[in-house]
Amino acid sequence: MQQAMNVQRQRLKLFALIAVFALPMLTAWVMVQWRIGIPAQRTAHGELAPDVPVLAEWPLEPRHASLDGGDWILAFDCSRDCRAEADRWWRMHRALGREAPRVSRLRIGGMPEALPGETVTQWRERPEWQQPGGIWLLDPEGRAVLSYAQGVSQRDVFDDLGHLLKRNPDRRAVTELDGERP
């Protein structure tokens, strides 16, 4: 009798151990299959921009070598209310704090004088993907990551840019560290 109870106790322990590892997997499978308990929040406020070509192919004049420095680029079309838009994005750039040197601003159109940290250029011709007042976040290789329509909240762009900078370490700092190794 004692032997039978001991065997049952051992089987119960084995079943409990299997359940500890199997139940989370079963729960995850149910959540994915039936979309139960999965948050529907968005992480990016902008729209993905697969149709926007790389920055080197944009019809801009003049072409600035300062944009090839490996920084993230906040490009914005400044065809309407340019002074206010340029100031708005300059203030957001300053709000990045210690991450600000990793970002360059590219103003397309508007007044010829540039604010600090800004490059000014003009459209040679308006591409079909361009939208008046549009804003684009470009990665260090010049690929458009996100695009925003005119009138987007400054906070939304700030949050997306902060998230991208956090998830993508500064390659210049990594290269410097690699160069210091014996």
Side-chain angles (χ1 to χ4, degrees):
M1 185 72 154
Q2 183 71 10
Q3 177 104 5
M5 293 222 8
N6 198 14
V7 169
Q8 284 183 335
R9 183 174 287 148
Q10 294 300 325
R11 285 183 183 161
L12 187 61
K13 284 181 185 178
L14 180 62
F15 180 72
L17 184 64
I18 291 171
V20 164
F21 290 105
L23 282 178
M25 294 298 290
L26 180 64
T27 303
W29 181 80
V30 167
M31 288 175 70
V32 168
Q33 284 299 108
W34 288 298
R35 296 283 188 216
I36 298 171
I38 296 177
Q41 69 184 14
R42 294 180 66 177
T43 55
H45 298 94
E47 297 295 322
L48 294 176
D51 297 334
V52 178
V54 295
L55 182 61
E57 297 174 7
W58 288 20
L60 300 174
E61 61 179 45
R63 177 80 184 128
H64 292 277
S66 63
L67 298 174
D68 299 328
D71 290 340
W72 286 83
I73 299 171
L74 172 69
F76 58 100
D77 180 71
C78 203
S79 56
R80 297 184 186 138
D81 196 20
C82 189
R83 195 168 300 276
E85 284 296 304
D87 184 60
R88 175 180 164 193
W89 299 119
W90 175 73
R91 290 178 188 280
M92 190 216 62
H93 189 190
R94 289 202 42 194
L96 289 171
R98 65 185 173 106
E99 296 290 348
R102 295 180 57 197
V103 179
S104 298
R105 288 186 329 281
L106 173 64
R107 180 167 38 94
I108 306 168
M111 58 200 175
E113 63 275 355
L115 293 173
E118 183 176 68
T119 303
V120 180
T121 188
Q122 302 291 330
W123 293 113
R124 261 186 318 220
E125 59 192 53
R126 297 225 184 251
E128 66 276 353
W129 50 264
Q130 186 267 346
Q131 49 186 309
I135 298 132
W136 301 272
L137 284 179
L138 293 99
D139 70 6
E141 275 105 36
R143 296 179 300 234
V145 177
L146 294 171
S147 67
Y148 303 89
Q150 180 181 4
V152 66
S153 164
Q154 189 174 347
R155 185 67 179 171
D156 290 347
V157 177
F158 180 81
D159 289 345
D160 287 349
L161 185 56
H163 183 75
L164 287 169
L165 291 172
K166 182 179 178 182
R167 296 282 184 229
N168 297 283
D170 190 2
R171 290 185 299 172
R172 292 172 289 200
V174 171
T175 305
E176 289 173 9
L177 290 174
D178 287 343
E180 293 177 3
R181 291 185 182 163

